[in-house]
Amino acid sequence: MLSRLMSGSDRSLDREFNCTVRLLDDSEYTCTVQRDAKGQWLFEQVCQHLNLLEKDYFGIRFVDPDKQRHWLEFSKAITKQMRSQPPYTMCLRVKFYPPDPAALKEEITRYLVFLQIKRDLYHGRLLCKSSDAATLAAFILQAEIGDYDPGKHPEGYSSKFQFFPKHSERLERRIAEIHKSELIGQSPETAELNFLKKAQTLETYGVDPHPCKDVSGNTAFLAFTPFGFVVLQGNRRTHFLKWNEVTKLKFEAKTFHIYATHQEDQKIILTYFAQTPEACKHLWKCGVENQAFYQFEKSSQVRTVSSGNLFFKGSRFRYSGKVAKEVMEQSAKIRREPPEIHRAGMVPSRSCPSITHGPRQSSVPRTRRRAVHISIMEGLESLRDSGHSTPVRSVSNGNSFFRSHGNGAEGGHGTAEFSEDSYSPSDSVLPTPVSNDPSDPAQVRHTNGPRSNQEEGGTELCTQNQARPQGFKPKGKRSQLEKTRLTQHGPEEGVNQFICSLARLFLVTLALLFALLLLLIVLTESELDLAFLRDIRRTPEFQQFHYEYFCPLRRWLACKLRWMGGHLINK
């Protein structure tokens, strides 16, 4: 009896596991999850713990053993999505950034978005000029320690906070000046709201960068924002496409394609290469979800999308949540007393130490300064803490968001700081430049190199369009050469891909026919006495086929083989 009870308890334990979700303030929520529980159940438990109603902006992220990030799919079982053994650790993060954070209905939602953007600022995802950076940091300071008090805040008090990956003493002094003089009297709620309003105006608001390579092998970072698709290279936003301009997102192995239409009749194709096929698929799914959330008016308009072509469907995926407009309409109906908010205050933080007391990241003499530009490749291990995106490292190349000192940032021995006016939104190429020359017969620009609208694979021909400012139009022989390449190689690549698709279809058909032939021979000629074979042989249809068609065909083949054998022997 005792053994039965023990075995029953063991089976119940096998059906349950522990799951820990790290929240945006770095506190942790742990619960017991049933083996067949879906992601939606865990998400609801977390939202209930936070007393959060405007929950559609958030998601749960985890990292698999190969360091690949994933968003937990709510419609699937948790255990079927994980590639490791329990207990599991995940992170609650903002998945869809509100287009207007100030329009959020409840303060608890604005506070969680504030924590996310503050985390983005620290990890180098929210980039700006030093003047904007000082203002944002001053809002954080006001929200966390209140008004400046000479008795509590001695000289250099702002150096005890780490708002950015690295920053200079000059920037620290500017942060303290704004906090002392311009923000007096602002409550934490007001300071957080002003922080959100300021962050919303930045070009990198809502950017969750995915590292890739363009067709020239240069590093690029792809991101999806509330307003459209963005490509960052160096200190410039090289491409920006509004969501209503993006017509298709597609991936094949490690290759990611973006199809868009600009100015009605001009088509754009961008091609990038992810580090792994899994990273490319994650990039594609993030793009599909973001486009559905921000572009559609109703969730009923969302359709299942495929990454394949006519004959091979590839991966199929459908966004299953509410869209932004529906979320706003639902938020307007909330009628309850505002929930109490327990702000983090001075609690130590692992992944975002802007709310901790600690030594400032000091800078080295200005004479050793050299310009750097953003490269968001370093630090996959910090995903364990940030759980949102790959942090930044500095790489030397031209003007930049940050400036570096010392031995250079590539080796990890130097330090970086916000430079003075090193970044300007006017550096961006908005929108992606497309040729307006009416003499161009194809009217298609592959922004990483000329490519026809029909082309979906093959060799890309690289140009330097990414480095050109908006409105730049190539002239002379080079422009004519690009047009010649476009008209010559585009149709050939399209025909080649069509032939390859037909060849694959033909091979698959032959394989299926061969498999059916093998099954027919096993049924008619073998003496295997298996249950399912016996049942098939006893059916009237099979017996009729066997005596009326198969036996005459076998006799005819045997006759032909004997005739051929005799003919060869006589010779």
Side-chain angles (χ1 to χ4, degrees):
M1 184 68 177
L2 181 61
S3 62
R4 291 181 181 178
L5 291 175
M6 293 180 64
S7 62
S9 62
D10 291 340
R11 285 195 297 270
S12 64
L13 290 176
D14 291 340
R15 293 194 298 267
E16 296 178 349
F17 59 89
N18 289 331
C19 185
T20 299
V21 179
R22 187 171 296 136
L23 307 179
L24 283 160
D25 61 357
D26 280 328
S27 63
E28 294 182 347
Y29 171 76
T30 303
C31 63
T32 302
V33 182
Q34 296 294 324
R35 178 66 62 174
D36 58 349
K38 295 185 177 180
Q40 183 68 42
W41 183 88
L42 177 61
F43 182 66
E44 293 293 342
Q45 296 299 309
V46 174
C47 293
Q48 184 177 355
H49 171 74
L50 294 171
N51 205 359
L52 176 66
L53 293 184
E54 296 176 288
K55 54 193 176 184
D56 297 275
Y57 298 105
F58 301 86
I60 295 179
R61 171 166 276 171
F62 64 93
V63 181
D64 67 19
D66 296 329
K67 303 298 183 181
Q68 174 57 49
R69 299 175 298 162
H70 302 273
W71 286 106
L72 187 68
E73 294 189 38
F74 295 160
S75 60
K76 295 183 179 180
I78 298 175
T79 53
K80 291 184 179 180
Q81 302 181 58
M82 311 300 290
R83 295 174 53 187
S84 58
Q85 296 298 320
Y88 302 127
T89 300
M90 309 181 191
C91 298
L92 179 74
R93 295 293 180 258
V94 173
K95 186 175 184 180
F96 304 112
Y97 285 75
D100 183 7
L104 294 171
K105 178 73 172 181
E106 295 198 305
E107 183 184 335
I108 178 66
T109 315
R110 290 194 294 272
Y111 175 65
L112 293 176
V113 176
F114 164 77
L115 292 178
Q116 177 66 73
I117 300 178
K118 184 177 70 171
R119 182 183 300 271
D120 294 345
L121 187 66
Y122 173 74
H123 285 286
R125 294 184 291 266
L126 185 66
L127 301 168
C128 53
K129 296 187 297 184
S130 59
S131 57
D132 295 330
T135 302
L136 291 171
F139 283 133
I140 296 175
L141 210 56
Q142 181 68 23
E144 294 186 352
I145 67 175
D147 290 341
Y148 170 72
D149 184 347
K152 297 180 180 179
H153 307 136
E155 185 68 24
Y157 69 100
S158 64
S159 64
K160 297 180 179 180
F161 296 84
Q162 188 68 28
F163 305 102
F164 321 105
K166 301 292 187 324
H167 52 273
S168 65
E169 294 181 1
R170 179 179 178 182
L171 184 57
E172 287 176 1
R173 292 193 296 269
R174 180 55 184 158
I175 293 171
E177 290 173 3
I178 297 175
H179 178 235
K180 292 177 183 178
S181 59
E182 300 180 19
L183 307 182
I184 296 176
Q186 289 191 12
S187 64
E189 298 85 354
T190 304
E192 290 164 5
L193 180 60
N194 290 332
F195 174 89
L196 294 176
K197 290 180 178 179
K198 182 65 177 178
Q200 178 196 353
T201 64
L202 302 177
E203 284 187 344
T204 49
Y205 168 73
V207 164
D208 180 14
H210 299 256
C212 295
K213 299 282 187 181
D214 64 14
V215 294
S216 301
N218 300 318
T219 299
F221 300 95
L222 279 56
F224 310 103
T225 73
F227 315 106
F229 169 77
V230 174
V231 179
L232 300 171
Q233 286 188 296
N235 66 332
R236 304 181 65 200
R237 187 171 75 174
T238 56
H239 301 299
F240 171 71
L241 297 171
K242 297 179 180 178
W243 283 124
N244 59 4
E245 296 175 343
V246 177
T247 58
K248 184 179 181 181
L249 300 173
K250 175 185 173 182
F251 83 96
E252 299 171 349
K254 296 191 293 184
T255 307
F256 182 67
H257 305 283
I258 305 97
Y259 298 80
T261 302
H262 179 58
Q263 295 180 357
E264 296 182 359
D265 58 342
Q266 295 180 346
K267 299 186 183 301
I268 303 169
I269 305 174
L270 294 91
T271 298
Y272 294 92
F273 304 95
Q275 296 173 334
T276 63
E278 292 76 15
C280 195
K281 184 175 182 180
H282 175 64
L283 172 64
W284 174 70
K285 292 174 69 174
C286 288
V288 170
E289 289 188 310
N290 276 270
Q291 185 176 22
F293 184 81
Y294 294 113
Q295 181 178 356
F296 291 109
E297 297 288 326
K298 297 180 180 179
S299 56
S300 58
Q301 298 174 337
V302 180
R303 296 288 181 264
T304 300
V305 296
S306 172
S307 64
N309 52 32
L310 178 62
F311 301 117
F312 297 90
K313 293 299 182 183
S315 296
R316 295 173 63 83
F317 180 71
R318 182 181 185 274
Y319 171 64
S320 58
K322 297 184 180 68
V323 299
K325 188 173 182 179
E326 291 176 335
V327 174
M328 293 297 295
E329 293 173 352
Q330 184 177 352
S331 298
K333 300 177 182 178
I334 295 177
R335 298 289 186 271
R336 68 167 179 175
E337 290 295 324
E340 184 180 359
I341 300 177
H342 301 282
R343 286 179 164 81
M346 306 303 293
V347 178
S349 170
R350 288 185 299 274
S351 63
C352 189
S354 64
I355 58 175
T356 65
H357 285 287
R360 176 182 60 83
Q361 300 287 341
S362 60
S363 56
V364 298
R366 292 178 180 269
T367 56
R368 302 173 65 185
R369 177 182 299 178
R370 67 187 181 92
V372 297
H373 79 276
I374 179 172
S375 176
I376 315 177
M377 291 289 292
E378 186 186 62
L380 280 174
E381 293 183 359
S382 64
L383 286 173
R384 176 178 59 84
D385 294 324
S386 71
H388 190 74
S389 177
T390 310
V392 303
R393 71 179 173 91
S394 300
V395 181
S396 61
N397 183 20
N399 294 331
S400 66
F401 295 108
F402 298 97
R403 290 193 181 273
S404 177
H405 306 281
N407 297 327
E410 288 189 13
H413 303 294
T415 58
E417 64 179 29
F418 270 86
S419 61
E420 301 303 322
D421 299 324
S422 60
Y423 167 68
S424 173
S426 62
D427 288 340
S428 300
V429 182
L430 300 176
T432 304
V434 181
S435 174
N436 292 319
D437 189 352
S439 63
D440 189 348
Q443 284 296 320
V444 176
R445 170 81 62 186
H446 188 294
T447 51
N448 289 339
R451 189 175 182 179
S452 71
N453 185 38
Q454 298 176 349
E455 182 181 357
E456 296 185 5
T459 304
E460 284 78 19
L461 304 172
C462 302
T463 65
Q464 300 298 323
N465 289 336
Q466 292 175 341
R468 294 169 182 164
Q470 182 180 7
F472 182 91
K473 295 184 179 180
K475 298 180 181 180
K477 296 182 179 179
R478 181 164 186 166
S479 176
Q480 185 63 34
L481 177 61
E482 290 176 0
K483 294 178 183 179
T484 304
R485 287 177 175 177
L486 180 63
T487 56
Q488 289 179 350
H489 290 269
E492 293 178 3
E493 296 295 339
V495 171
N496 290 338
Q497 184 178 8
F498 180 72
I499 293 175
C500 290
S501 298
L502 289 179
R504 288 197 299 266
L505 179 62
F506 179 71
L507 292 175
V508 170
T509 303
L510 285 181
L512 290 175
L513 291 175
F514 183 72
L516 290 175
L517 179 61
L518 289 178
L519 178 60
L520 180 62
I521 293 174
V522 170
L523 284 171
T524 56
E525 301 297 328
S526 71
E527 297 181 357
L528 293 177
D529 191 18
L530 299 178
F532 78 97
L533 294 178
R534 191 185 315 117
D535 294 338
I536 294 176
R537 291 185 182 118
R538 290 177 180 176
T539 58
E541 293 80 5
F542 180 80
Q543 292 179 0
Q544 181 181 5
F545 168 79
H546 183 263
Y547 291 112
E548 294 186 7
Y549 297 98
F550 183 78
C551 289
L553 178 62
R554 184 177 57 182
R555 289 193 296 269
W556 181 82
L557 287 175
C559 181
K560 289 295 182 183
L561 289 175
R562 285 195 299 269
W563 177 83
M564 291 179 62
H567 185 70
L568 292 174
I569 292 174
N570 293 333
K571 285 186 177 181

